[in-house]
Amino acid sequence: MQFARLERLPPYVFATVNEIKMEERRAGKDIIDLGMGNPDLGTPDHIVEKMVEAARKPHNHRYSASMGITKLRMAIASWYRRRFGVEIDPNTEAVVTIGVKEGMSHLILVTIRPGDVVLTPNPTYPIHPYSAIIAGGDVRGIPMGPGQDFFENLLAATRQSWPRPKVLIISFPHNPTTEVVDPAFFEKIVEYAKEHEIMVIHDFAYADIIFDGYQAPSFLQAPGAKDVGVEFFSMSKSYSMPGWRVGFCVGNPEIIFALKRIKSYLDYGIFQPIQIASIIALSGENEENDKNDLRHRQPCVRDICDIYRRRRDTLITGLSRVGWDIPPPKGTMFVWGKIPDKFAHMGSVEFSKFLIKEAQVAVSPGLGFGEYGDDFVRFALIENEMRINQAVRGLRKVM
């Protein structure tokens, strides 16, 4: 059998590296996995307890609302008001999604036609380009990363694209490159989107995983942002809820309506106890917050971020000791490292295989995020500091 949409999807680059990793583990090797960005931290207790409490009530076992229950959408609006000073109408400007991957995929499916041009960074998180490819779109990758001026590259790509691009998907702090931006960048994006009549989708998954005093701005803080686009947020990283599969999309009412409409055909919403627990996640510790500081993060979120910061520092310091110097990222749960010169000829896939076999360390090859990532590998901060130090000792042997 042949399936047209699958034919547009290339072989999964990460699968090759994962198979090598599993072979080594079956052979008894202790492979330290810094590859897949799967958070290892448990969800904070007060969130879990609320979910368990809600799950014991039979009326919460019924079908829920595909757009998300009202109180959760109200909690989302309150969270945006506190964190970023942005007003969100919970009825017309917010929709709960089954994680960002589901929400973005369905939003692209309902807003583009086959052949429409979608602009995404390259390298970037795979669902950004592949949501458009699955929907029949034509993806143009904009070079992103160290030494690149993403905005200038975006302008150049827009001038060279025909038909005119319809959608721009961006994400800051950025996975995998860890690039960050300031509020002025989003102001330029809004002006650009209005001038070229382009819809903007901002994936804000790493809003809270930020370091060294950096504060990640929301796209919606830029004046006029709601005129041109929407922002997705995931509960996976900030609240360490990856397996719960809950996120949301906020912003332009027409775009939100389109996502609500298609979701009404495709799902009955998330299991209601998870939505109830998500309300507690977004608002449960507010009594400890300084209400005058709109950027103040909740204690449980700060604790999670501090763990990632310590892991980042352990990895960056350790890599520097063995001769692999990488600037410390200001955001995300990743480190994006240029392959050392003496291994550069290997490319990211062969280098990743080499590290598994010779250093017993698994990383993600940059090629899996786009062709402009092939000179890099991505480390995920998903092991404790002791294991990270063990990984560094393995890397020392090959460096």
Side-chain angles (χ1 to χ4, degrees):
M1 293 185 181
Q2 293 184 332
F3 303 99
R5 294 193 188 280
L6 289 183
E7 288 174 359
R8 294 198 66 201
L9 298 177
Y12 195 53
V13 171
F14 302 117
T16 304
V17 176
N18 287 337
E19 182 56 34
I20 300 292
K21 177 181 70 180
M22 296 312 298
E23 286 177 5
E24 294 294 296
R25 282 181 168 169
R26 284 192 291 267
K29 302 286 184 66
D30 178 19
I31 305 298
I32 300 171
D33 192 352
L34 303 178
M36 184 178 177
N38 190 359
D40 63 315
L41 306 176
T43 305
D45 288 343
H46 68 286
I47 301 172
V48 175
E49 289 165 3
K50 189 63 179 180
M51 194 276 287
V52 172
E53 175 191 319
R56 295 188 185 281
K57 299 178 179 178
H59 67 267
N60 286 328
H61 299 177
R62 305 178 68 185
Y63 291 129
S64 189
S66 63
M67 72 175 67
I69 60 176
T70 301
K71 287 187 178 180
L72 177 51
R73 287 183 281 109
M74 291 174 67
I76 290 165
S78 178
W79 185 83
Y80 259 91
R81 187 181 308 114
R82 291 194 317 274
R83 289 282 279 114
F84 304 108
V86 172
E87 293 295 329
I88 298 292
D89 184 327
N91 295 315
T92 62
E93 297 178 339
V95 57
V96 179
T97 60
I98 308 172
V100 170
K101 288 181 75 172
E102 173 272 320
M104 185 173 294
S105 298
H106 285 151
L107 178 57
I108 291 294
L109 185 64
V110 78
T111 54
I112 73 168
R113 294 173 178 166
D116 281 346
V117 174
V118 176
L119 304 175
T120 73
N122 186 333
T124 198
Y125 185 51
I127 198 59
H128 296 162
Y130 290 127
S131 62
I133 289 170
I134 291 168
D138 182 6
V139 175
R140 310 286 168 86
I142 314 300
M144 161 87 84
Q148 296 285 351
D149 185 328
F150 176 76
F151 190 77
E152 287 302 316
N153 292 342
L154 173 63
L155 294 180
T158 303
R159 287 192 294 267
Q160 296 165 8
S161 293
W162 186 260
R164 177 187 296 174
K166 184 165 184 181
V167 180
L168 168 66
I169 301 175
I170 51 177
S171 178
F172 296 99
H174 185 249
N175 172 18
T177 68
T178 74
E179 294 285 312
V180 297
V181 296
D182 58 17
F185 173 85
F186 284 139
E187 292 174 10
K188 290 196 299 183
I189 289 291
V190 170
E191 292 175 7
Y192 156 86
K194 288 185 175 181
E195 178 182 352
H196 296 280
E197 298 181 349
I198 291 175
M199 182 178 84
V200 179
I201 301 173
H202 181 232
D203 181 353
F204 204 21
Y206 297 95
D208 294 303
I209 311 302
I210 46 179
F211 315 114
D212 305 334
Y214 173 72
Q215 297 288 345
S218 164
F219 167 67
L220 296 182
Q221 287 177 289
K226 277 200 266 186
D227 296 335
V228 296
V230 293
E231 185 164 79
F232 279 94
F233 178 79
S234 167
M235 307 289 285
S236 296
K237 312 307 187 301
S238 299
Y239 299 95
S240 200
M241 297 169 64
W244 299 55
R245 306 314 304 136
V246 56
F248 51 82
C249 183
V250 293
N252 180 276
E254 292 180 36
I255 300 173
I256 295 296
F257 174 80
L259 181 53
K260 285 180 182 178
R261 183 74 184 274
I262 194 168
K263 281 176 64 65
S264 71
Y265 285 93
L266 296 171
D267 71 73
Y268 282 111
I270 302 165
F271 185 44
Q272 195 149 292
I274 290 178
Q275 296 193 58
I276 293 168
S278 297
I279 297 169
I280 297 302
L282 291 170
S283 57
E285 298 178 299
N286 292 343
E287 66 276 7
E288 300 182 39
N289 289 351
D290 177 2
K291 298 296 175 36
N292 295 318
D293 183 358
L294 296 173
R295 294 177 172 177
H296 192 92
R297 290 172 293 165
Q298 297 152 292
C300 68
V301 176
R302 291 200 307 270
D303 291 345
I304 289 168
C305 186
D306 283 343
I307 291 171
Y308 286 126
R309 179 188 53 77
R310 292 195 297 269
R311 292 177 178 184
R312 177 205 65 165
D313 293 346
T314 299
L315 180 60
I316 291 290
T317 302
L319 291 175
S320 180
R321 285 200 308 269
V322 302
W324 193 349
D325 292 320
I326 301 174
K330 291 185 179 181
T332 78
M333 52 181 282
F334 305 109
V335 168
W336 183 241
K338 195 172 192 302
I339 299 172
D341 290 343
K342 68 177 179 177
F343 302 108
H345 66 280
M346 300 174 73
S348 61
V349 175
E350 292 304 316
F351 182 60
S352 297
K353 293 179 186 178
F354 172 75
L355 291 186
I356 293 173
K357 291 183 175 181
E358 303 299 329
Q360 297 184 23
V361 176
V363 297
S364 292
L367 183 63
F369 302 98
E371 62 269 27
Y372 292 115
D374 200 24
D375 293 332
F376 295 81
V377 293
R378 190 195 72 178
F379 297 84
L381 303 173
I382 55 171
E383 293 273 13
N384 62 40
E385 291 158 69
M386 183 179 71
R387 294 281 283 171
I388 290 173
N389 278 320
Q390 183 181 338
V392 170
R393 289 193 292 273
L395 291 168
R396 179 185 289 119
K397 290 187 291 186
V398 302
M399 294 293 292

